[in-house]
Amino acid sequence: MKNTIAALALTTLAAAASAQTAAAPAGLSYNRIGFTRTSQKGLTNQNVLSVSSLLGSSNFLAFAENRTDHGTALGLGYVFKNVAVGIDAAVTVSADNEWQSNSSIYSLGLRRSLSEVFAGLEVAIGYSTQSTALSAGTNRVLSYELSYNINKQYTVAYGIQDIRKGLLNGSAEKIQNVSVRYNF
């Protein structure tokens, strides 16, 4: 009887574990198309359409982002997978033609799956600097994001960007983002 109960318990645990891993993708997906809606206090909301993909079977990342009122950003980067404790680190460089200012953006992003806490949960933090020809300083952006992989194809996310403007005005703003992504 003890063996039957132990076998039944192990079978139930194995079935539950396989059901949880089927709900969330294995590893972090970098091949995705996204739609993001941003909101800023006192300003017009903005829509962002983005696409990113690892090039072939390499860790080189190519991406593009189109904002409704700021133009297009194109970039390249490299993803260092599983740097420490399941964290992926991505270093990227992009060019943005925002309002004809032709800015350069340098970024470092960290992502980690939190499937051990809740299947499909993911967290990301990032830091970027943006220098433009028109401003007398560099904008610095610290971003935070919590996302949930509904299944292998679809992800929803909520993020916050803390933007510190250039040296002249020294102002700060917070932008909230809600995203829907399709992983391919």
Side-chain angles (χ1 to χ4, degrees):
M1 185 70 167
K2 281 184 178 180
N3 290 338
T4 305
I5 292 173
L8 185 59
L10 284 174
T11 305
T12 305
L13 287 173
S18 70
Q20 279 190 341
T21 55
L28 300 170
S29 176
Y30 291 92
N31 300 326
R32 55 193 187 174
I33 298 170
F35 175 78
T36 302
R37 179 83 169 162
T38 67
S39 64
Q40 257 175 292
K41 189 175 182 178
L43 294 176
T44 306
N45 293 340
Q46 185 178 169
N47 297 325
V48 180
L49 184 61
S50 62
V51 63
S52 69
S53 181
L54 291 175
L55 301 175
S57 60
S58 73
N59 287 359
F60 287 98
L61 181 70
F63 58 93
E65 186 176 273
N66 189 326
R67 302 177 193 143
T68 51
D69 64 346
H70 288 256
T72 303
L74 300 173
L76 290 172
Y78 190 83
V79 179
F80 298 91
K81 294 187 177 182
N82 201 16
V83 175
V85 244
I87 297 172
D88 285 2
V91 178
T92 62
V93 177
S94 58
D96 188 346
N97 65 353
E98 178 180 349
W99 295 314
Q100 276 75 44
S101 64
N102 295 324
S103 61
S104 299
I105 304 167
Y106 304 95
S107 303
L108 171 65
L110 304 174
R111 286 178 64 197
R112 186 178 191 287
S113 171
L114 297 176
S115 288
E116 69 275 8
V117 175
F118 190 81
L121 199 60
E122 204 178 287
V123 65
I125 61 170
Y127 177 78
S128 63
T129 62
Q130 176 183 20
S131 57
T132 66
L134 298 178
S135 70
T138 301
N139 296 339
R140 298 171 313 279
V141 180
L142 189 57
S143 57
Y144 316 89
E145 182 181 85
L146 185 64
S147 61
Y148 175 67
N149 296 298
I150 298 168
N151 55 34
K152 289 186 178 189
Q153 283 79 36
Y154 296 101
T155 303
V156 293
Y158 172 76
I160 297 173
Q161 291 178 313
D162 184 12
I163 301 171
R164 303 290 176 182
K165 297 270 180 161
L167 297 175
L168 286 182
N169 57 12
S171 64
E173 8 177 310
K174 284 202 188 292
I175 298 175
Q176 297 180 24
N177 303 311
V178 176
S179 303
V180 177
R181 297 185 187 113
Y182 174 77
N183 302 312
F184 59 92

